[in-house]
Amino acid sequence: LARACGFTVAGFTDRSSFAGGPGNPVLGTDAELAALIRPQQIDGGVVGVGNTALARRAQLYGVLVAAGVPQPALVHPRAVVSPSAEVGAGSVVFAGDVLGSGVRIGVNAVLYSGVVVEHECVIGDHAYLSPGVVLSGQVTVEAGAFLGAGAVVLPGLRIGAGAVVAAGAVVTADVP
């Protein structure tokens, strides 16, 4: 995603000593992240941890913030984003996503491929929307919530902080 957004990727960290691959140099482990950061040499960083470790995503985001590393929002060129939508620092919006008018996305959130977020929805910090999630208008997804693939949330509902919505669910009432 970073490359699709025009960034050059200097390297990655990983929770272990993952070997990486061509074009994916591993600079060290996640535990070494703070020591590896040289703000004067890094233009930005984005957390790439997936859905199995949302608390770890937030923790690594905090390491980057504490080190003063800018975290750009990454919005794939094939996403459709209303001019009035706001995407927070370190958040990622993948190809095929649609963000309607007045949408606000917090920091370090993930919107995987094919997510539709309609008008005036609010997505909290560190939230994770799996592929194909649909949020009808005026939905609020609070911080750290996880929505599984293909979940649909009806208009005006609230998904609480840290809540988990199963893949394929149709949400018809607020989820604490």
Side-chain angles (χ1 to χ4, degrees), residues 62-95:
V63 170
L64 292 174
V65 168
V69 175
Q71 295 181 64
L74 298 181
V75 178
H76 196 282
R78 289 195 321 258
V80 178
V81 180
S82 167
S84 64
E86 300 173 11
V87 181
S91 289
V92 293
V93 176
F94 282 81

Side-chain angles (χ1 to χ4, degrees), residues 1-155:
L1 178 58
R3 290 182 180 115
C5 292
F7 290 94
T8 300
V9 177
F12 300 85
T13 63
D14 192 71
R15 85 177 99 192
S16 62
S17 56
F18 172 67
N24 298 315
V26 176
L27 306 174
T29 66
D30 290 348
E32 299 168 312
L33 179 59
L36 292 168
I37 294 173
R38 294 175 184 86
Q40 66 276 15
Q41 296 174 346
I42 297 175
D43 296 328
V46 175
V47 179
V49 175
N51 65 347
T52 58
L54 295 184
R56 199 161 132 249
R57 276 190 63 78
Q59 182 234 352
L60 292 171
Y61 175 84
V63 170
L64 292 174
V65 168
V69 175
Q71 295 181 64
L74 298 181
V75 178
H76 196 282
R78 289 195 321 258
V80 178
V81 180
S82 167
S84 64
E86 300 173 11
V87 181
S91 289
V92 293
V93 176
F94 282 81
D97 289 352
V98 177
L99 305 182
S101 64
V103 167
R104 289 180 297 153
I105 299 171
V107 302
N108 194 40
V110 175
L111 282 70
Y112 253 103
S113 303
V115 168
V116 176
V117 181
E118 282 300 339
H119 63 90
E120 303 162 316
C121 288
V122 176
I123 299 172
D125 297 347
H126 317 292
Y128 190 101
L129 280 59
S130 299
V133 166
V134 175
L135 303 181
S136 302
Q138 299 175 327
V139 170
T140 298
V141 176
E142 294 181 355
F146 172 86
L147 283 74
V152 175
V153 183
L154 297 183

